[in-house]
Amino acid sequence: MTNRLMLTLNGEPRELPSPLTVAGLLAAIGLDTRKVAVERNEEIVPRSAYHATHLASGDALEIVHFIGGG
Amino acid sequence: MDATPTLIDDDTWTVAGRVFRSRLVVGTGKYRDLPETAAAIEASGAEIVTVAVRRVNLSDASAPMLQDYVDPKRYTYLPNTAGCHTAKDAVRTLRLAREAGGWNLVKLEVLGPPPHLYPDMAATFEAAAALIADGFEVMVYCADDPVAAKRLEQMGCVAVMPLGAPIGSGLGIQNPAMLAMLIEQARVPVLVDAGVGTASDAAIAMELGCDAVLLNSAIAHAREPVRMARAMRLAVEAGRLAHRAGRMPRRMGADPSSPLAGLIR
């Protein structure tokens, strides 16, 4: 039986297969890594660390981008 | 004979070591869609655009993004802290912006409640200190208060941006006398941010001697945003030229422009 990860993505609970890196997560969602930034448990994950950063159950992630603003 | 004086091309301004020719900074919010955003920004001639940082919509990751229409290689993105009410939120938001874009020039704004959304200066000072300590170059939205503006400058903010009138109000330059004093004493660029409603408001701000004008709603909420963007571009240039040229003195009476000598009898 595959392990499941319980994550909070942008405030929403999500269940995903383990193991999973930040790079894997962004690819699964379909996001261009050059256009987003990721925070894991209130700490920035540098883009250079996406492949090496393994997610754990209970992690809270914020995935943000730029939108129109004044 | 070269009859074209160099009036605009040599007139640049510098913030945090970056040199700009356009003195119009525009927001990217409130447009109908991204193509309209792109067209209006193009027409404005702006080199700096403000942007917000928000959660990605994870249920529609393929939706077009701002960068697809407003190229960050062509425009200097100035991420803002809209919606942040504490220093902690502001630092967190702009750290994400720095990671997303790789730059540290930012717009700090910490607002009070509706209906005025007036700058919360106590919270602004606290957030400015935290951001400067974290290595950001902070352009700061502030009250039209020369004491507060000087303090922000002394803390190390790279530009001060007093309001002309409440955000999105379009009420124009409400306190020109205080803005003029604030500009006079400033040693960093001053941008009038918020309150511009139409082209003459932008020209008035520039005539007061500020370095640039920052606006969003006046273009985005015009009936024809692209046309208004062009109007703002021209108004900012006109106001800047008028400031540099130096206006004639006001006088309490007429002074004929045509000579009285040589009239026929």
Side-chain angles (χ1 to χ4, degrees):
Chain A
M1 180 183 146
T2 323
N3 287 327
R4 306 291 290 179
L5 284 175
M6 300 303 293
L7 304 175
T8 304
L9 301 184
N10 286 355
E12 302 284 332
R14 289 280 190 103
E15 194 179 332
L16 287 144
S18 177
L20 188 65
T21 63
V22 170
L25 173 67
L26 294 178
I29 298 168
L31 286 170
D32 182 342
T33 55
R34 292 166 304 175
K35 294 177 187 167
V36 300
V38 178
E39 190 188 66
R40 179 195 185 199
N41 303 328
E42 301 202 12
E43 293 285 338
I44 296 282
V45 183
R47 199 164 291 154
S48 57
Y50 286 175
H51 284 280
T53 303
H54 289 267
L55 299 174
S57 267
D59 280 354
L61 292 119
E62 293 288 342
I63 305 170
V64 303
H65 66 148
F66 292 120
I67 65 157
Chain B
M1 191 182 96
D2 182 7
T4 311
T6 311
L7 288 174
I8 296 168
D9 289 345
D10 65 339
D11 182 32
T12 59
W13 67 289
T14 302
V15 60
R18 296 159 173 86
V19 180
F20 298 99
R21 262 187 316 205
S22 172
R23 291 173 181 271
L24 178 57
V25 178
V26 295
T28 54
K30 298 180 170 178
Y31 287 96
R32 271 186 285 271
D33 51 30
L34 288 168
E36 185 183 73
T37 311
I41 290 167
E42 168 88 39
S44 77
E47 296 169 308
I48 306 175
V49 298
T50 60
V51 296
V53 178
R54 290 293 181 271
R55 285 172 166 168
V56 171
N57 178 1
L58 297 175
S59 59
D60 186 13
S62 63
M65 291 190 183
L66 187 65
Q67 287 106 308
D68 301 327
Y69 287 83
V70 180
D71 184 357
K73 293 190 187 70
R74 175 172 173 196
Y75 299 100
T76 298
Y77 271 32
L78 187 65
N80 70 24
T81 58
C84 297
H85 293 284
T86 64
K88 180 174 177 284
D89 287 348
V91 171
R92 209 178 148 195
T93 296
L94 291 179
R95 278 182 179 165
L96 280 163
R98 180 162 60 188
E99 183 58 27
W103 52 81
N104 59 6
L105 187 65
V106 296
K107 170 180 171 177
L108 172 63
E109 53 176 299
V110 189
L111 308 180
H116 47 71
L117 298 178
Y118 202 74
D120 179 336
M121 291 312 297
T124 298
F125 287 129
E126 194 188 332
L131 288 168
I132 291 165
D134 208 46
F136 287 99
E137 293 176 304
V138 180
M139 300 174 70
V140 56
Y141 178 61
C142 60
D144 53 354
D145 171 346
V147 180
K150 181 53 76 176
R151 184 168 297 159
L152 289 165
E153 176 187 309
Q154 288 167 343
M155 288 170 70
C157 291
V158 297
V160 292
M161 308 202 292
L163 78 171
I167 292 170
S169 69
L171 288 172
I173 309 304
Q174 291 289 306
N175 198 350
M178 201 56 73
L179 283 177
M181 281 184 261
L182 192 157
I183 290 163
E184 174 67 27
Q185 62 155 33
R187 296 292 171 266
V188 293
V190 177
L191 288 80
V192 169
D193 179 359
V196 167
T198 189
S200 52
D201 299 332
I204 287 168
M206 291 309 300
E207 286 171 14
L208 290 172
C210 67
D211 293 276
V213 172
L214 199 168
L215 56 87
N216 185 344
S217 307
I219 295 177
H221 282 176
R223 196 173 60 244
E224 293 183 51
V226 176
R227 200 182 294 275
M228 184 60 87
R230 179 163 155 74
M232 289 301 181
R233 173 187 196 151
L234 296 171
V236 166
E237 284 186 17
R240 176 64 185 170
L241 286 172
H243 174 72
R244 291 180 78 198
R247 61 154 297 140
M248 64 163 282
R250 288 180 172 86
R251 48 183 295 151
M252 294 302 289
D255 178 22
S257 296
S258 305
L260 294 175
L263 278 171
I264 56 168
R265 298 288 174 208

